[in-house]
Every structure is written in C-alpha cells, then in structure tokens.
Amino acid sequence: MRAVAVVAEYNPFHSGHKYHLMKTRENFPDKAVMVIMSSNYVQRGEPAIMDKRSRALSALKNGADLIIELPCVWSLSSAERFAGAAVFLAAQSGVVDNISFGAQTDDIEILKKIAFVCGDRYYKREINEYYKSSGLPFPQARQKIVDDVLGKEIGSYLKYPENILAVEYLKAVRQFKSQIIPFAVKREGASHDSDDINEKFISAKEIRSLILSGKDYTKYIPENLLDIFKSEEENGFFPVSASDFDESVLSYLLRCRAEDLLNTPDVSEGIENRIIDSVRKSSSLEELFFTAKTKRYTLSRIKRIIFNSYLGITKEDVSVTPPYLRVLGFNDAGRILLKQINENMNYPVVMRYSDLSRLDSYAKRIFELEARSQDLYFLTTKKRRIPGSDMTDEIIYIK
C-alpha cells in the first residue's frame, strides 16, 4: 500500500477539513491517507483549542487512516520549519508518493514559481538583505522580492496563509530532493485566518472565536464529531486558549532576564529586550503580545518566541529534522500502512515510550520536551491530568 500525506493542525477539525480529505481520497482512491498533525501547540504561536489525541480521533473518523505527530518543536515554529519537518517525515516514511494541501489556487505551477524564488539561493539572499535594510516584517519583504521577480499578480498569492504554507511544502520537497508529487485542493469558503462567517466553510480562526465566545459553532463541524466536542467540554479538557496560560506564562517571564531568551528560536535583533520590557507593562498574555508587537516583529513571531521559551525549546532543538515518526492513531488501512513503514526501516517509529530506549539522546530530548509540553497544556484545563500522560496514553485505533 502507498500513501498520500496531508499536513494539518485541525485546530479544531471542521467541515472544511473533511472536504479536503474527501477530495484527496477522490483523487487518490487506491492510496491510504497519512496525516502529519501538529501537537498540542500550533504554528500561529499558541496552544491548540483541543488536545492532539481528540483532534487525531476527529481526523480518523473523517477520512484519515494514519496520524503521525509533528512534535511541538516544529509545530510551534515558523512556516518554513513547520513545513520542512512535515515533508521530511513524509519522505522518511518510505510510503508517501504525494502530498495534498489546501490553497487558494489548485494551479501547482504558479505555486512552484513562487517556491523557486523563495527557495533559490540567490533570491533568498535578496529577500534577507531587503528584510534587514527595509525594516519591514519578513513576510512583506519576501512578497516585495517575489513581486519584483514574478509580477504583482503572482506575488499576490502570498497574501493567503494557506498559499504560504503550500509554497513552503514545495520548497521542502525541492530541498530534500524528494520524489513526492504535490497536489493542491482549491480552498472552498473563507481563507485560513478569515473572519468571514458568511460561507459554507468558515475558517478555523472564526470557529475558534465562536467556541471561545460561547456561540453556536456546530453547523461548521462534521455531525459525527459533535459527541467528541461535547464530551471533551464536559470532561473539562476543551476549549483551551492562550488566555488560560496567562498566570503560568507571565509568572515564568517575570522571573526571566532578557539574556534568558537569547537561545529561543526566532530571537534576534534585540527582540528579547522588548519582550522582557513589555511583560512588566502587561496584565495578560494578549496585552503582552500586542505590547511587544511592532511593525518589524509580527504577532505570530512574538507569540512563538514566548511559548517556545516557556516550554524550554531552544535553537539547538530546531536546528535539525525530527528524529522519529511518532504514531498517534490509525484504522485498519493505517495499520497496514504502518506495517509497511516498519518493514522499510527508513526511520525510527515510536509507538510507545519504551521505543525510545533504542534511540539517541536527541530523540529522547525531543520526546521529553513533547511530554512536558503536554503536562503544561493540561495544567490550564478545568480538569487536570496527571503529569506524564503523554508517555502512557494509548494509541487511538478505530475500526
């Protein structure tokens, strides 16, 4: 059996995600769907609204066959590192022929042109030099160079977050010299971070807003998941937001000095001083985020730095690729696929904590960071879980 990979956060899983999995299956009917999914922390720099195992179960009930974890070291990272780590895991599995992603266009050739400019050594230098000299945030500096090289019509595709990730997937495929073939599903409805709710499919951002404000979100969630959402809420594990971390993260930062942040990913240009100055003027994380944010430093970058530092993630941790494939869940087709992955022996597969005994110190470090990040995640929920649950939770299996 061969597979098509999907990289996702499912924050939370909604009807648009089900549509994407359905279109992927329609185009690859003879292949299993392997989802590489974010851990309990996501790329926008905050905790996921629902824990990773509930999101994995949601995906398995709606078209996924095998769920592989993208550890927090990379899920709580820049788009480039997020996408690069996911594509690397897909390639290392030895069973993936295609990668399927949502975008504002299904024209792969346009996305490839942008990916070439963003990934080419010469143009990357141009982008970085313009970023340093212009004082603009990196996304704007990048788009200026792409506009100059390819024209503003093509450059405008970088206005959409899902297109940015699509470009990063294509860059990673090229970087790793992988034979994986990309496939784009044109996004239906609102864009990834859109506030538009006048759509059949609204964005995950707007669904999170509905959930956190206590409004009805159920018509945007697959019907077979409503019991999961209700059960997680009744059990006190859902929803989770960045504001739930106010006390713990602010108390941590109040004990920090600026130099304590220097080894945190994405810290440069004195941004550590601004964060420490801002925390002493802020009574909540939201206030801190917006106080520290400037034209130069994007909100997502500030949030990622703060949560990476809080979780203990360092620049050394993100400097290489993920050291193992960790399984969160599967169905019968996923079980067959997993057997093939194990037989290929291209890369270590972690099913349980004991599997780490045969791996190196770096792999153990990454797993321990993941386990600790889950402990801190469940310290914020209404009902708390015993520390160490990430080492003992069973793999999800559905028939």
Side-chain angles (χ1 to χ4, degrees), residues 199-354:
E199 297 278 2
K200 177 183 177 183
F201 301 130
I202 67 172
S203 71
K205 176 184 176 182
E206 189 57 36
I207 292 174
R208 289 192 298 272
S209 178
L210 292 174
I211 292 170
L212 294 172
S213 62
K215 297 178 181 178
D216 181 33
Y217 61 88
T218 55
K219 66 180 179 179
Y220 303 113
I221 303 295
E223 190 174 347
N224 66 347
L225 298 185
L226 295 181
D227 285 346
I228 294 176
F229 279 65
K230 182 179 179 181
S231 174
E232 288 299 294
E233 184 172 11
E234 289 176 349
N235 289 334
F237 299 136
F238 166 79
V240 174
S241 72
S243 64
D244 295 321
F245 287 73
D246 278 359
E247 185 175 346
S248 56
V249 176
L250 289 177
S251 64
Y252 161 75
L253 289 172
L254 283 169
R255 297 193 302 273
C256 286
R257 300 166 297 171
E259 52 264 39
D260 295 328
L261 303 184
L262 284 174
N263 200 31
T264 303
D266 295 326
V267 168
S268 62
E269 304 172 308
I271 193 173
E272 69 280 3
N273 295 306
R274 184 171 183 85
I275 290 173
I276 293 303
D277 288 344
S278 297
V279 77
R280 288 168 172 79
K281 305 172 185 175
S282 306
S283 58
S284 68
L285 275 182
E286 183 176 17
E287 189 174 355
L288 170 59
F289 295 151
F290 283 95
T291 302
K293 177 185 177 295
T294 67
K295 181 180 178 182
R296 179 72 159 176
Y297 306 135
T298 65
L299 184 60
S300 292
R301 182 180 176 186
I302 294 291
K303 291 162 72 175
R304 284 195 298 265
I305 288 171
I306 289 170
F307 270 98
N308 270 297
S309 180
Y310 173 66
L311 296 176
I313 297 170
T314 68
K315 290 178 179 177
E316 287 76 21
D317 295 324
V318 303
S319 64
V320 293
T321 48
Y324 52 71
L325 286 160
R326 188 186 185 187
V327 180
L328 293 180
F330 53 82
N331 59 17
D332 287 335
R335 186 197 294 273
I336 295 171
L337 189 65
L338 187 56
K339 182 181 179 183
Q340 290 184 251
I341 292 173
N342 277 305
E343 288 173 350
N344 287 333
M345 295 297 289
N346 283 355
Y347 218 57
V349 175
V350 172
M351 302 279 288
R352 56 191 65 83
Y353 179 64
S354 59

Side-chain angles (χ1 to χ4, degrees), residues 124-155:
K124 281 184 74 173
R125 186 170 66 249
E126 291 282 302
I127 292 169
N128 287 328
E129 288 177 356
Y130 184 68
Y131 165 67
K132 291 175 183 177
S133 64
S134 67
L136 293 172
F138 182 80
Q140 291 183 29
R142 175 182 55 199
Q143 181 156 354
K144 169 65 167 57
I145 300 301
V146 173
D147 286 349
D148 290 347
V149 177
L150 298 176
K152 290 187 177 181
E153 182 178 351
I154 292 180

Side-chain angles (χ1 to χ4, degrees), residues 79-96:
E80 183 175 41
R81 287 196 294 265
F82 173 96
V87 170
F88 177 81
L89 289 175
Q92 292 300 316
S93 73
V95 297
V96 171

